[in-house]
Amino acid sequence: MNREVFITCAVTGSGSTQDRSPHVPRSPAQIADSAIAAAKAGAAVVHCHVRDPETGAPSRDLVLYREVTDRIRDAETDVVLNLTAGMGGDIVFGGVEAPFPVAGGTDMVGATERVAHIADCLPEICTLDCGTMNFAEADYVMTNTPGMLTAMGTMMTKLGVKPEIEAFDTGHLWYAKQLVKDGVLDSPALVQLCMGVPWGAPDDLNTFMAMVNNVPHDWTFSAFGLGRHQMPFVAASVLAGGNVRVGLEDNLMLDKGVLATNEALVGRAVEITERLGAKIIGPEAVRAKLGLKKQAAK
């Protein structure tokens, strides 16, 4: 069991949840305000995407990332900033009989463009989705080739931003260890175990422990489950020696019929963790644990 736990709040994500709850933040001001509220509730880390302020659609706009970053840094509440670098690798094929040309929704760009907002904003952590994934959509693929991951990981390391390895299956952990062996990523590494994301690792405990057992003993890991399994995975991760992630990116409900806010989800995670006998640690302790340096933007 982990006795000193940090909580990450995944504030808004890039899924099509913006019209399913009024609490999913869209504008940079809403995202930053929700992140700060989560930090006040006990989150040491906030994981942020950006969205089009009008439509709520996921975005890679550098101006939006800059505004979110500046607002969080200018706040009086301290928190570790974690920006996504998972976008820009999306392919939607044209169909099973005619996959090319690709369909609308495809967003494929090069490694430098995928991390442009990381280079500009210099968060303390950014995500690195460590493998290609088939999600629930029939012809959509999240593409992360070994070559792309090597290039992006090298850029992140040179920038001094710590990658958070997003592992959606055991093979992603296998390749993450190879990236460390190749000197692309530093060790000890930071891992997020992503459970129950179709069609990656299912969110049963046997599979979860297989994932945990594939994380090197000196690495730091966190974990989350989607939807109604979000809070059970808070307990499961702490008991397995890890840290926890909650937030509206992964789950919209606090209780049956009760829409959540980010701060309410963090508050519930704090309660569960403390009832297990663990201590919640803050951003300064996380920086010391992970070797992070709070950076100012260029």
Side-chain angles (χ1 to χ4, degrees):
M1 176 176 165
N2 184 11
R3 298 285 177 179
E4 294 190 340
V5 175
F6 67 82
I7 296 173
T8 296
C9 181
V11 177
T12 190
S14 61
S16 56
T17 58
Q18 66 269 25
D19 296 320
R20 292 166 53 196
S21 170
H23 303 306
V24 175
R26 298 186 179 199
S27 71
Q30 291 170 342
I31 293 167
D33 287 348
S34 193
I36 294 304
K40 289 179 178 178
V45 182
V46 288
H47 169 61
C48 296
H49 294 241
V50 295
R51 294 177 178 267
D52 181 295
E54 298 301 322
T55 67
S59 174
R60 293 190 292 105
D61 190 327
L62 268 65
V63 173
L64 300 178
Y65 274 110
R66 165 64 72 178
E67 184 177 346
V68 168
T69 298
D70 288 347
R71 285 177 177 274
I72 290 173
R73 285 183 169 144
D74 289 343
E76 295 180 358
T77 302
D78 187 24
V79 69
V80 173
L81 180 61
N82 174 341
L83 294 182
T84 184
M87 299 181 67
D90 300 326
I91 298 179
V92 181
F93 290 103
V96 296
E97 299 297 344
F100 295 104
V102 295
T106 295
D107 179 29
M108 284 288 295
V109 297
T112 299
E113 188 171 347
R114 286 184 71 173
V115 299
H117 61 295
I118 305 300
D120 183 60
C121 297
L122 292 177
E124 293 166 83
I125 300 171
C126 69
T127 59
L128 185 66
D129 297 336
C130 229
T132 295
M133 265 285 291
N134 295 323
F135 282 92
E137 298 90 341
D139 297 307
Y140 165 70
V141 178
M142 179 185 76
T143 308
N144 293 290
T145 65
M148 181 66 76
L149 291 171
T150 296
M152 291 174 64
T154 298
M155 293 176 192
M156 293 168 183
T157 299
K158 287 182 178 179
L159 287 168
V161 177
K162 189 172 188 69
E164 179 186 75
I165 295 159
E166 306 293 288
F168 296 85
D169 219 333
T170 52
H172 297 181
L173 290 169
W174 186 5
Y175 189 60
K177 287 182 275 191
Q178 186 64 44
L179 287 172
V180 170
K181 183 178 179 181
D182 292 344
V184 174
L185 304 183
D186 294 332
S187 186
L190 172 65
V191 177
Q192 186 72 247
L193 302 179
C194 310
M195 307 302 300
V197 179
W199 300 107
D203 54 5
D204 62 87
L205 286 177
N206 284 335
T207 304
F208 177 56
M209 288 311 301
M211 296 279 278
V212 170
N213 290 335
N214 273 283
V215 177
H217 68 89
D218 60 335
W219 292 16
T220 298
F221 80 88
S222 180
F224 70 86
L226 297 183
R228 63 194 178 98
H229 291 156
Q230 185 171 82
M231 293 306 161
F233 264 88
V234 169
S237 188
V238 172
L239 291 171
N243 301 281
V244 302
R245 169 172 140 172
V246 295
L248 294 175
E249 176 171 350
D250 309 318
N251 167 44
L252 298 178
M253 309 303 293
L254 184 65
D255 292 302
K256 186 174 182 179
V258 180
L259 289 170
T261 62
N262 279 310
E263 59 265 36
L265 292 171
V266 171
R268 181 69 59 83
V270 168
E271 179 184 2
I272 292 169
T273 301
E274 290 181 338
R275 283 180 176 271
L276 290 172
K279 173 187 175 184
I280 303 295
I281 63 173
E284 279 301 321
V286 171
R287 292 186 183 104
K289 180 181 181 67
L290 300 180
L292 304 177
K293 181 180 179 181
K294 191 172 184 179
Q295 303 187 66
K298 290 180 181 179

